[in-house]
Amino acid sequence: MFLSAIKLILAAATFVYYAVAEYTVSADFNSDNFLTAFDFFTDADPTQGFVTYLGAQPAVNSKIIGVAPTHKNATYLGVDSTNSFDTGRPSLRLTSKGTFNHGLFIFDIAHMPGGQCGVWPSIWAVGPDWPKGGEIDILEGVNDQTTNAMTLHTSANCSVDADGFSGNLTTPNCDIKAPGQPANSGCAISSYNPQSYGVGLNANGGAVYAMEWTSNAITIWFFPRDKIPADVAHSITPGDTDPGSPDPTKWGRPVAHFCGDTCNIDDHFKDMKLVINTAFCGDWAGNTWDASSCKAKAPTCNEYVAKNPQAFVDAYWLINDIKVYEDKSRKRRQRNRRSAEF
């Protein structure tokens, strides 16, 4: 009995000691390696969008991907804003070659699409055999939307609580087939801050998003350009060989915190790839066309996107840097828990 009690005390002490994550860089995406670190998706759009996704060489030839020397060598990801199209406007959908399980993901964004009618930009993560491997929408919106929408999409048995964050919980059940919610709405939290998306984000010189994925929760922080914490500002320097170890415990209240007793995170999210894309119309932007101010511009989303290339001159991403951090203490916690079970 005494020995068992000692073991429990030691196990608890070990857990507390390593409870704070020790993040170190495991991946760094910037203009030096975007073309090689991401695959170019060229299939038909799974969301029925009015879009044609280009491969690497056609994208380079069309000048919708490249480096922006006048913007600190940020990676430029654009769309065709010159020509009219009957079969879908050319754009990009990039998927990371590497997969991830847990971690801290920091996105330094100087400019994004958004606020243009018909546009559906997103930075997200997706696992295999959707929705079983999960989906995390980190930065997303459509049409004339003015604030960011953050969403999880899962299979059954995952709902989240309505506290611990500053955003607005619009739907609590992450299941894409949840009863009482629109199909595929997932569990969604919207920001109240107009600087979090599109026109407002761009007018403020961009922003930084951070997403932490652990066994306990998926958490998102939004930092306007003029309010980036010091440890984050240090971490986002492109190519920095010593970006330090960001500490989310010092960042204050997140804009979104997906956590609930009825959702086992590790059961629903695994082997995820990062995705950056700009779609047009489709299941969201197209299906909500009539409910937005965009309906005054054209009868349908597809017609507007097809015939108005000049409307998409500003529908581009400028990405300074994306860093992925691995929690080195996680493996130690796992080893110590196993040792405490002897």
Side-chain angles (χ1 to χ4, degrees):
M1 175 68 75
F2 178 75
L3 184 58
S4 296
I6 291 295
K7 291 176 184 177
L8 288 172
I9 292 170
L10 288 173
T14 299
F15 175 78
V16 171
Y17 182 77
Y18 288 120
V20 177
E22 299 174 14
Y23 284 118
T24 58
V25 174
S26 62
D28 186 359
F29 305 119
N30 54 61
S31 58
D32 290 336
N33 63 1
F34 249 84
L35 282 173
T36 56
F38 287 82
D39 290 321
F40 286 69
F41 178 91
T42 57
D43 291 344
D45 183 43
T47 63
Q48 287 61 243
F50 187 79
V51 60
T52 299
Y53 291 119
L54 299 187
Q57 196 57 55
V60 171
N61 293 345
S62 300
K63 299 181 180 179
I64 66 170
I65 188 170
V67 179
T70 58
H71 291 84
K72 300 180 181 179
N73 288 330
T75 301
Y76 171 85
L77 306 174
V79 304
D80 186 291
S81 58
T82 305
N83 305 294
S84 296
F85 293 92
D86 294 329
T87 57
R89 183 160 297 283
S91 182
L92 297 169
R93 174 168 164 162
L94 305 184
T95 304
S96 67
K97 292 182 177 179
T99 59
F100 304 96
N101 286 284
H102 292 195
L104 178 66
F105 303 74
I106 298 181
F107 306 84
D108 182 3
I109 302 159
H111 188 281
M112 70 169 293
Q116 301 92 1
C117 289
V119 172
W120 180 358
S122 184
I123 294 180
W124 49 298
V126 64
D129 194 19
W130 187 90
K132 292 182 180 179
E135 176 181 333
I136 305 169
D137 298 328
I138 301 160
L139 176 56
E140 186 177 33
V142 296
N143 295 328
D144 55 1
Q145 187 172 313
T146 57
T147 61
N148 185 32
M150 297 148 285
T151 310
L152 305 186
H153 300 272
T154 69
S155 52
N157 301 315
C158 181
S159 294
V160 297
D161 299 334
D163 55 21
F165 52 90
S166 64
N168 175 43
L169 180 67
T170 56
T171 48
N173 196 329
C174 310
D175 180 7
I176 63 168
K177 298 180 180 179
Q181 294 183 183
N184 196 27
S185 58
C187 49
I189 298 173
S190 59
S191 172
Y192 289 107
N193 192 330
Q195 293 181 336
S196 65
Y197 176 83
V199 175
L201 182 146
N202 297 336
N204 197 43
V208 170
Y209 273 90
M211 186 270 287
E212 186 179 38
W213 166 21
T214 70
S215 294
N216 299 319
I218 292 170
T219 309
I220 299 173
W221 287 265
F222 160 68
F223 304 116
R225 182 61 60 188
D226 53 350
K227 296 181 181 178
I228 301 172
D231 60 336
V232 176
H234 179 57
S235 73
I236 59 179
T237 304
D240 193 335
T241 57
D242 182 23
S245 181
D247 184 0
T249 65
K250 298 178 180 179
W251 296 346
R253 196 174 183 84
V255 65
H257 184 66
F258 297 97
C259 179
D261 292 339
T262 61
C263 185
N264 184 310
I265 296 294
D266 289 343
D267 284 349
H268 289 284
F269 300 90
K270 60 195 69 169
D271 300 328
M272 305 197 85
K273 292 178 177 285
L274 292 178
V275 185
I276 306 166
N277 75 290
T278 303
F280 296 99
C281 304
D283 291 345
W284 190 7
N287 289 349
T288 58
W289 183 262
D290 289 351
S292 71
S293 65
C294 300
K295 183 174 174 56
K297 296 180 181 290
T300 68
C301 182
N302 284 13
E303 180 178 337
Y304 181 75
V305 171
K307 297 179 179 180
N308 294 277
Q310 72 285 350
F312 308 109
V313 170
D314 289 331
Y316 63 88
W317 298 93
L318 284 177
I319 300 177
N320 290 328
D321 190 60
I322 300 173
K323 280 192 173 67
V324 182
Y325 289 80
E326 179 185 9
D327 179 10
K328 291 296 186 181
S329 68
R330 181 169 175 254
K331 292 181 180 179
R332 288 201 298 273
R333 289 198 298 271
Q334 291 171 338
R335 286 197 301 269
N336 279 289
R337 285 176 185 142
R338 287 194 294 267
S339 298
E341 293 170 357
F342 66 87

